[in-house]
Amino acid sequence: MTEAWIIDACRTPRGVGKAGKGALWDVHPQQLGATVLKALAERNKIDTKEVGDIIWGTSAQIGPQSGDLGRMSALDAGYDVLASGITIDRFCGSGISAVNFAAACIMSGMEDLVIGGGAEMMSMPGRRAGAMDNGNMRLRLHHPQTHQGVCADAIATMEGISREALDEAGYVSQQRADVAIKEGRFNKSLVPVYKEDGTLALDHEEYPRPQTTREGLANLKPAFPALANAPLDEQGTTYLSLILQAYPDLKIDYRHHAGNSSGVVDGSGAVLLASDSYAKAHGLKPRARIRAMANMGDSPELMLNAPVPAAKKVLEKAGLKKEDIDLWEINEAFAVVSEKFQRDLDLDRDKVNVNGGSIALGHPIGATGAILIGTVLDELERRGKQFGLVTMCAAGGMAPAIVIERI
């Protein structure tokens, strides 16, 4: 089978995802995507008419993000019109899936040069609201799906993961991100964003709070009790009632808040992949190869538990054991996700999210997976290590996963 090689990866800084407040909120999503696509083309001197496809992850495909953001971003980046594009949605897992699909196109022999990535403007008004089933009562009868924050608190309660452990995860994320930023560990992949008039919009991470203390985290109030009990429809359905439909005896102890949950941000990231034969013929130096990819579903009622089985599946496909993985990136959608992941797999915590995660840096839904792949690749190179595994939870109870091997 043809090998899929990672030639390069880049991303924007992440801007606070609040309209009128964050640095990127008034940048068009297509321009945000164009920023990383243009950087990949220029940095690697590729002929864009030879890009077989741009596979793009975007979860909220509405408003300015609708209409095939991948294709429009490529056109805005000045790509040749022959470079096609498609936009996909696996919720939070969209970015990993976009890269996985791009790799699959190459490994199957269908294409030789493909880009996988994504963008998400969390500051954009009118994003998804209401129940995950969008009012499909037949689906709700079989799979009542609640809010992800309520799921996080439910899992923490069911697993006996304390508020103190979750706060510690939030604190560690901030401290590690602070070190990574100060040491310039993200500089290789970071691409500044400019506004339409050419002025600088953002060239650094906007979300991190390095001043975070354990005491400050301990004083934050849980974020989701009011949301859990707010009516969603005229019948009085609430997020709490949805999860109690599946777990009627559950007494949720709300433990998540802004300091141990992922940050709401805007951002984009992309990964350039090529077949081994194309790379050799065109003088493209590979940085890594795709060793294995996998997808896994789990309980949609709990939503966040699929990363562990996804990691086990992708390890098996790669012919590796957990001890072979040098660096892990498990998206910090909520502290309970990464905490449960590390406990269930009994991992060395010094190998997991070593540069902080989405709690400190933010989670631009459709872009995060591609960003994490670039992050783990940069860190493998910095440390001279070999294998990295990236996975993340996604709504609907899913998780994509990927193992990359540094070349």
Side-chain angles (χ1 to χ4, degrees):
M1 183 180 292
T2 301
E3 285 196 339
W5 285 357
I6 295 178
I7 306 301
D8 199 8
C10 67
R11 67 173 179 85
T12 69
R14 281 160 278 197
V16 171
K18 292 184 178 180
K21 295 184 178 180
L24 299 177
W25 77 274
D26 57 347
V27 175
H28 197 285
Q30 294 172 11
Q31 296 171 352
L32 196 65
T35 297
V36 291
L37 290 174
K38 185 177 181 181
L40 285 180
E42 292 178 347
R43 284 162 46 143
N44 299 280
K45 298 179 173 59
I46 60 172
D47 184 347
T48 59
K49 71 173 178 290
E50 296 187 3
V51 175
D53 213 354
I54 294 113
I55 303 176
W56 210 243
T58 303
S59 187
Q61 295 182 29
I62 58 174
Q65 289 190 165
S66 62
D68 193 352
L69 188 60
R71 170 64 168 175
M72 297 304 132
S73 296
L75 293 174
D76 189 43
Y79 275 43
D80 193 285
V81 296
L82 298 180
S84 185
I86 186 172
T87 303
I88 65 168
D89 177 14
R90 200 194 296 274
F91 304 109
C92 294
S94 300
I96 293 180
S97 291
V99 175
N100 285 356
F101 291 169
C105 285
I106 290 169
M107 295 165 76
S108 69
M110 192 171 91
E111 301 288 356
D112 283 304
L113 189 65
V114 186
I115 294 171
E120 199 84 35
M121 300 293 292
M122 300 292 286
S123 61
M124 186 178 66
R127 295 178 60 83
R128 283 193 186 92
M132 186 62 60
D133 55 37
N134 289 321
N136 182 351
M137 296 305 170
R138 184 173 62 185
L139 174 59
R140 187 176 298 181
L141 179 64
H142 299 289
H143 293 293
Q145 298 173 70
T146 189
H147 187 274
Q148 59 266 30
V150 178
C151 286
D153 285 327
I155 293 168
T157 302
M158 297 165 77
E159 295 285 335
I161 299 176
S162 68
R163 164 73 184 260
E164 291 73 21
L166 300 174
D167 284 354
E168 182 64 19
Y171 176 76
V172 169
S173 183
Q174 294 286 355
Q175 296 305 302
R176 288 181 173 180
D178 187 42
V179 171
I181 291 169
K182 288 177 177 176
E183 293 186 356
R185 297 184 188 181
F186 300 139
N187 291 356
K188 186 172 185 177
S189 293
L190 211 59
V191 178
V193 180
Y194 292 90
K195 295 184 180 182
E196 191 172 0
D197 63 4
T199 60
L200 179 68
L202 187 65
D203 63 357
H204 64 278
E205 299 292 348
E206 191 176 31
Y207 187 79
R209 295 174 174 83
Q211 71 275 17
T212 297
T213 64
R214 292 183 174 92
E215 293 74 21
L217 291 171
N219 289 326
L220 293 177
K221 294 181 179 180
F224 300 109
L227 179 69
N229 288 282
L232 297 172
D233 54 34
E234 295 179 356
Q235 289 71 43
T237 304
T238 63
Y239 284 124
L240 180 59
S241 70
L242 287 172
I243 197 164
L244 292 179
Q245 182 181 328
Y247 299 94
D249 297 326
L250 179 62
K251 306 294 183 184
I252 297 179
D253 183 2
Y254 296 96
R255 301 171 185 178
H256 285 85
H257 49 74
N260 58 27
S261 304
S262 57
V264 177
V265 298
D266 302 325
S268 182
V271 180
L272 175 65
L273 301 105
S275 65
D276 48 354
S277 59
Y278 183 93
K280 291 173 183 176
H282 292 80
L284 297 176
K285 184 179 179 180
R287 297 175 61 189
R289 63 171 54 87
I290 307 299
R291 183 64 180 258
M293 305 169 290
N295 296 297
M296 181 62 73
D298 203 271
S299 165
E301 293 81 6
L302 291 176
M303 194 184 299
L304 312 176
N305 282 343
V308 169
K312 291 179 178 179
K313 182 177 179 180
V314 79
L315 283 172
E316 183 178 357
K317 286 183 171 292
L320 299 172
K321 298 179 180 179
K322 67 177 184 180
E323 292 79 13
D324 297 318
I325 302 300
D326 298 297
L327 293 171
W328 304 74
E329 285 288 338
I330 166 66
N331 187 43
E332 296 172 349
F334 299 91
V336 73
V337 179
S338 56
E339 182 65 21
K340 183 178 186 298
F341 188 89
Q342 293 173 87
R343 293 185 185 197
D344 286 358
L345 293 178
D346 190 24
L347 298 181
D348 179 349
R349 290 174 179 263
D350 290 334
K351 295 182 177 181
V352 182
N353 297 354
V354 297
N355 291 325
S358 288
I359 291 174
L361 296 160
H363 176 24
I365 305 294
T368 302
I371 291 173
L372 294 183
I373 292 169
T375 296
V376 80
L377 174 55
D378 286 347
E379 191 63 15
L380 286 172
E381 291 177 339
R382 194 182 76 84
R383 298 185 179 212
K385 298 296 184 179
Q386 186 176 12
F387 291 112
L389 190 153
V390 184
T391 187
M392 60 200 308
C393 58
M398 299 181 287
I402 185 172
V403 173
I404 68 170
E405 179 181 6
R406 185 174 71 88
I407 297 178

